[in-house]
Amino acid sequence: MGASSRVRLCFPGLSAKDFQHPADVKALEAVKKVKGFDWLTKQIMNLGLERIIRMQLLADSLKVSEEQCPSLWRIYKECCEVLDIDPPPDFFVERNPWPNAYTTGFTMPVVVITSGLLEVLDEDELRFILGHELGHYKCGHVLYMTMALYLSQILATIGQMTLGIGRLLGTGLELALLAWSRRAEFSADRAGLLAAQNDNVAIRALMKLAAPVEKIWKEVSVEAILRQAEEFEMLSEDKLSKLYKIFYGVQLTHPWLILRTKEVKNWIESDQYKSILESGAPLGAVSYTHLTLPTT
């Protein structure tokens, strides 16, 4: 990985509200109003899911630290400093050839990237992905993201324990959580952009997730990707296309990558993004002596 020589910025006092996508905020408020939400949250806590996840990571993944993979830890620590997160959540590399990353846990959130992801990203692209995952943490998404990720298995288990009642209560909540989860990705992508501090890097990282094939990376055009996004947006103009997009997207935890690309581009051009950049200070010039905790 080649480190960038430009001066990197950090954003002391950065709040989730400074970059959170309005659709994310609105959808999460809707989730919390769904009948059975509080009940299901308590059941998930009681199942000990967080302990199981952490045990699996400690048993079969690599925990990154100052002593373990220090160059990778340096990049991660800098992303935390950029986004004003202190202390950093635990960080693991999972043995998995498929390029992926996720944030999970409740009381002890963890950021996880796969070995396959490290194979396909350069250092700046990795900053975007790590910033994205830390954005979920910063926005207080982690509990709800974990619920969305494991909800089908959780509902099946609770359904057996409650003679099917848990399954019935969870049906509406599952759809609401998935709808929110797709919108939460827009907020996290904004945090990723703040960590990468390079417009093309953010879009390039998303496209490597869409097509993780080394043979075509050098030929991928950011301009062509944005035109493709425009073409996809135009498909919503008639009622049948809108119906198809809703039908095929309703069970997804993430929005289509081409929509994420378009949202990132829109934010790049926004006054909100430019204002945050203008408020930045050179990385390393700020002393982090406080704790910045996410709100749920």
Side-chain angles (χ1 to χ4, degrees):
M1 296 180 182
S4 174
S5 60
R6 69 181 182 277
V7 175
R8 301 188 59 75
L9 299 174
C10 62
F11 307 101
L14 182 72
S15 165
K17 294 179 181 179
D18 294 332
F19 63 87
Q20 207 161 4
H21 196 287
D24 165 19
V25 177
K26 185 177 180 180
L28 187 54
E29 289 175 354
V31 169
K32 292 179 179 179
K33 293 177 182 177
V34 175
K35 184 178 180 180
F37 174 79
D38 291 336
W39 178 85
L40 186 60
T41 302
K42 291 177 183 176
Q43 297 304 312
I44 289 171
M45 296 290 193
N46 292 337
L47 284 173
L49 179 61
E50 181 179 44
R51 182 177 296 180
I52 294 170
I53 294 170
R54 189 169 187 84
M55 181 179 67
Q56 290 174 334
L57 286 170
L58 287 170
D60 205 31
S61 299
L62 191 68
K63 186 178 181 181
V64 182
S65 66
E66 284 186 88
E67 296 80 26
Q68 183 70 277
C69 301
S71 60
L72 189 56
W73 176 257
R74 174 185 58 81
I75 297 170
Y76 179 67
K77 188 70 161 48
E78 286 185 1
C79 289
C80 289
E81 291 176 7
V82 167
L83 298 173
D84 195 17
I85 295 173
D86 184 24
D90 284 345
F91 178 30
F92 287 85
V93 176
E94 181 180 271
R95 184 181 57 181
N96 184 339
W98 184 252
N100 193 23
Y102 59 94
T103 305
T104 187
F106 312 139
T107 61
M108 297 179 65
V110 294
V111 171
V112 183
I113 63 173
T114 64
S115 53
L117 188 70
L118 289 175
E119 291 286 343
V120 302
L121 300 181
D122 65 28
E123 182 173 311
D124 282 335
E125 292 160 356
L126 181 60
R127 291 178 190 278
F128 173 80
I129 297 299
L130 290 175
H132 172 101
E133 296 306 327
L134 289 166
H136 283 311
Y137 174 71
K138 184 90 174 177
C139 291
H141 289 164
V142 184
L143 170 60
Y144 315 114
M145 297 294 294
T146 305
M147 289 173 67
L149 188 62
Y150 294 97
L151 194 60
S152 294
Q153 300 98 300
I154 291 167
L155 290 176
T157 301
I158 294 176
Q160 293 174 355
M161 296 165 57
T162 59
L163 302 178
I165 295 174
R167 177 73 256 186
L168 290 174
L169 282 174
T171 302
L173 180 57
E174 185 172 15
L175 292 176
L177 264 174
L178 289 173
W180 163 77
S181 177
R182 293 190 293 273
R183 290 157 178 81
E185 293 301 309
F186 298 144
S187 295
D189 282 341
R190 292 178 173 189
L193 180 60
L194 290 172
Q197 298 175 24
N198 184 300
D199 304 358
N200 285 341
V201 162
I203 296 174
R204 200 169 69 226
L206 287 173
M207 286 307 100
K208 281 192 176 181
L209 292 178
V213 182
E214 190 171 1
K215 289 182 180 179
I216 66 172
W217 291 340
K218 293 182 180 179
E219 298 182 7
V220 170
S221 164
V222 171
E223 291 74 18
I225 290 168
L226 293 173
R227 287 197 298 272
Q228 181 179 334
E230 294 287 351
E231 183 178 350
F232 181 81
E233 287 281 286
M234 290 173 62
L235 290 177
S236 297
E237 293 183 358
D238 64 88
K239 292 181 180 180
L240 184 59
S241 294
K242 286 181 180 178
L243 183 61
Y244 283 154
K245 287 170 75 173
I246 293 171
F247 179 78
Y248 287 110
V250 71
Q251 290 294 333
L252 298 177
T253 58
H254 288 56
W256 287 299
L257 280 166
I258 206 69
L259 284 183
R260 290 173 63 183
T261 303
K262 186 68 164 56
E263 285 290 337
V264 165
K265 182 62 175 175
N266 288 342
W267 202 56
I268 287 169
E269 297 171 350
S270 72
D271 291 337
Q272 186 183 31
Y273 176 58
K274 294 170 185 174
S275 177
I276 293 175
L277 289 182
E278 289 172 359
S279 72
L283 187 63
V286 178
S287 175
Y288 289 85
T289 59
H290 62 285
L291 301 183
T292 304
L293 301 177
T295 56
T296 56

Coordinates of all heavy atoms in Angstrom, one line a residue, residues 27 33 73 94 97 100 102-103 111 123 143 152 196 210 219 230 237 269 290:
A27 N -35.9 7.1 8.8 CA -36.2 5.7 8.7 C -36.0 5.0 10.1 O -36.7 4.2 10.5 CB -35.4 5.0 7.7
K33 N -40.7 3.0 16.2 CA -42.2 3.1 16.5 C -42.9 1.8 16.1 O -44.1 1.7 16.4 CB -42.8 4.3 15.7 CG -42.3 5.7 16.1 CD -42.8 6.8 15.2 CE -42.3 8.1 15.7 NZ -42.8 9.2 14.8
W73 N -3.1 -1.0 11.8 CA -3.6 -0.3 12.9 C -3.4 1.2 12.8 O -4.3 2.0 13.2 CB -2.9 -0.8 14.2 CG -3.3 -0.1 15.4 CD1 -2.6 0.9 16.1 CD2 -4.6 -0.2 16.1 NE1 -3.3 1.4 17.2 CE2 -4.6 0.7 17.2 CE3 -5.7 -1.0 16.0 CZ2 -5.6 0.9 18.1 CZ3 -6.8 -0.8 16.9 CH2 -6.7 0.1 17.9
E94 N -11.1 -10.7 9.3 CA -11.7 -12.0 9.3 C -11.2 -12.8 8.1 O -11.0 -12.3 7.0 CB -13.2 -11.8 9.1 CG -14.0 -13.1 9.0 CD -15.5 -12.8 8.9 OE1 -16.2 -12.6 9.9 OE2 -16.0 -12.6 7.7
P97 N -12.2 -14.9 1.8 CA -11.7 -14.4 0.5 C -12.6 -13.3 -0.1 O -12.2 -12.6 -1.0 CB -11.6 -15.6 -0.3 CG -12.6 -16.6 0.2 CD -12.6 -16.3 1.7
N100 N -15.3 -7.8 2.0 CA -16.5 -7.3 2.8 C -16.0 -6.6 4.0 O -14.8 -6.8 4.4 CB -17.4 -8.5 3.1 CG -18.7 -8.1 3.7 OD1 -19.2 -7.0 3.4 ND2 -19.4 -9.0 4.4
Y102 N -17.9 -5.1 8.0 CA -19.1 -4.9 8.7 C -18.8 -4.4 10.2 O -17.6 -4.6 10.6 CB -20.0 -6.1 8.8 CG -19.4 -7.3 9.4 CD1 -19.6 -7.7 10.7 CD2 -18.6 -8.2 8.6 CE1 -19.0 -8.8 11.3 CE2 -18.1 -9.4 9.1 CZ -18.2 -9.7 10.5 OH -17.7 -10.8 11.0
T103 N -19.7 -3.8 10.8 CA -19.6 -3.4 12.2 C -20.7 -4.1 13.0 O -21.9 -4.1 12.6 CB -19.8 -1.9 12.3 OG1 -18.8 -1.3 11.5 CG2 -19.5 -1.4 13.8
V111 N -15.3 -3.5 14.6 CA -15.2 -3.3 13.1 C -14.4 -4.5 12.6 O -13.4 -4.9 13.1 CB -14.4 -2.0 12.8 CG1 -14.2 -1.9 11.3 CG2 -15.3 -0.8 13.3
E123 N -4.4 1.8 -0.1 CA -4.5 2.4 1.3 C -5.6 3.4 1.4 O -6.3 3.5 2.3 CB -3.2 3.0 1.7 CG -3.2 3.6 3.1 CD -1.8 4.1 3.5 OE1 -0.8 3.3 3.4 OE2 -1.7 5.2 4.0
L143 N -26.2 -1.4 17.1 CA -27.2 -2.3 17.6 C -28.2 -2.7 16.5 O -28.5 -3.9 16.3 CB -27.9 -1.7 18.8 CG -29.2 -2.5 19.3 CD1 -28.9 -3.9 19.7 CD2 -29.9 -1.7 20.4
S152 N -33.3 -12.7 10.8 CA -34.0 -13.9 10.4 C -33.7 -15.1 11.4 O -34.6 -15.8 11.8 CB -33.6 -14.3 9.0 OG -34.0 -13.4 8.1
A196 N -11.5 9.3 3.7 CA -10.6 9.2 2.5 C -10.2 10.5 2.0 O -9.0 10.7 1.5 CB -11.4 8.5 1.4
A210 N -18.2 -3.6 -6.2 CA -19.2 -4.1 -7.2 C -18.5 -5.1 -8.1 O -19.1 -6.1 -8.6 CB -19.7 -2.9 -8.0
E219 N -9.3 0.1 -16.0 CA -10.2 0.5 -17.1 C -11.5 1.1 -16.6 O -12.3 1.6 -17.4 CB -10.4 -0.6 -18.1 CG -9.1 -1.1 -18.7 CD -9.4 -2.2 -19.7 OE1 -10.6 -2.4 -20.0 OE2 -8.5 -2.8 -20.3
E230 N -27.1 7.8 -13.4 CA -28.1 8.6 -14.0 C -29.1 7.8 -14.8 O -30.3 8.0 -14.7 CB -27.5 9.7 -14.9 CG -26.6 10.7 -14.2 CD -27.5 11.7 -13.4 OE1 -28.7 11.7 -13.5 OE2 -26.9 12.5 -12.6
E237 N -38.9 6.6 -13.6 CA -39.9 7.6 -14.1 C -41.3 7.0 -14.4 O -42.3 7.7 -14.4 CB -39.3 8.3 -15.4 CG -38.1 9.2 -15.0 CD -37.6 9.9 -16.2 OE1 -38.1 9.7 -17.3 OE2 -36.6 10.7 -16.1
E269 N -20.7 17.5 -3.8 CA -21.1 18.8 -4.4 C -21.9 19.7 -3.4 O -22.2 20.8 -3.7 CB -21.9 18.6 -5.7 CG -21.1 17.9 -6.7 CD -21.9 17.5 -7.9 OE1 -23.2 17.6 -7.8 OE2 -21.3 17.0 -8.9
H290 N -10.4 13.3 25.2 CA -11.8 13.0 25.7 C -12.3 11.8 25.0 O -11.7 11.2 24.1 CB -12.7 14.2 25.3 CG -12.8 14.4 23.8 ND1 -11.7 15.0 23.1 CD2 -13.7 14.1 22.9 CE1 -12.1 15.0 21.8 NE2 -13.3 14.5 21.7

